[in-house]
Amino acid sequence: MNKDSFINKVRIKSSFDKQTAENVFNATFDEIKKSVLKKKFLLIDEIGVFSVEHREMKTIIDGKKRAEVLLPPKDRLVFKPSETFINMLKD
């Protein structure tokens, strides 16, 4: 499902017009982004946890050149679904 079809489903279920549904969608995901960036953690009940995981610098071997390459440290976004969400997917 892409953003437009998601917004359309929200619009139908909530009786919002398309612009209002899109504004709600954008505001919701802006707040999720801000919360994760600021606190490095966001728990949404029955959905899961968004968190920022720090990866240390590591060395890999470039297969083509047979040379060592250093990958810089970085932060990455991780999502861990809740047990409730996992069980809903199984049903």
Side-chain angles (χ1 to χ4, degrees), residues 17-56:
D17 61 273
K18 185 174 181 176
Q19 187 60 47
T20 303
E22 187 169 354
N23 291 344
V24 168
F25 176 88
N26 290 335
T28 300
F29 281 92
D30 284 345
E31 287 305 312
I32 288 172
K33 286 188 275 187
K34 286 178 188 176
S35 180
V36 170
L37 289 173
K38 183 178 179 182
K39 299 176 186 170
K40 308 287 187 200
F41 179 85
L42 174 65
L43 170 65
I44 302 176
D45 292 338
E46 297 184 7
I47 300 294
V49 177
F50 293 91
S51 61
V52 176
E53 183 179 273
H54 181 72
R55 293 283 174 109
E56 297 295 330

Side-chain angles (χ1 to χ4, degrees), residues 61-74:
I61 305 295
D62 184 345
K64 293 179 182 176
K65 299 177 184 176
R66 299 284 187 222
E68 288 187 357
V69 177
L70 289 176
L71 295 178
K74 64 181 178 179

Side-chain angles (χ1 to χ4, degrees), residues 2 4 6 9 13 48-50 56 63 66 75 78 81-83:
N2 63 20
D4 289 335
F6 184 83
K9 285 188 181 244
K13 288 187 176 186
V49 177
F50 293 91
E56 297 295 330
R66 299 284 187 222
D75 291 335
V78 178
S82 70
E83 289 295 321

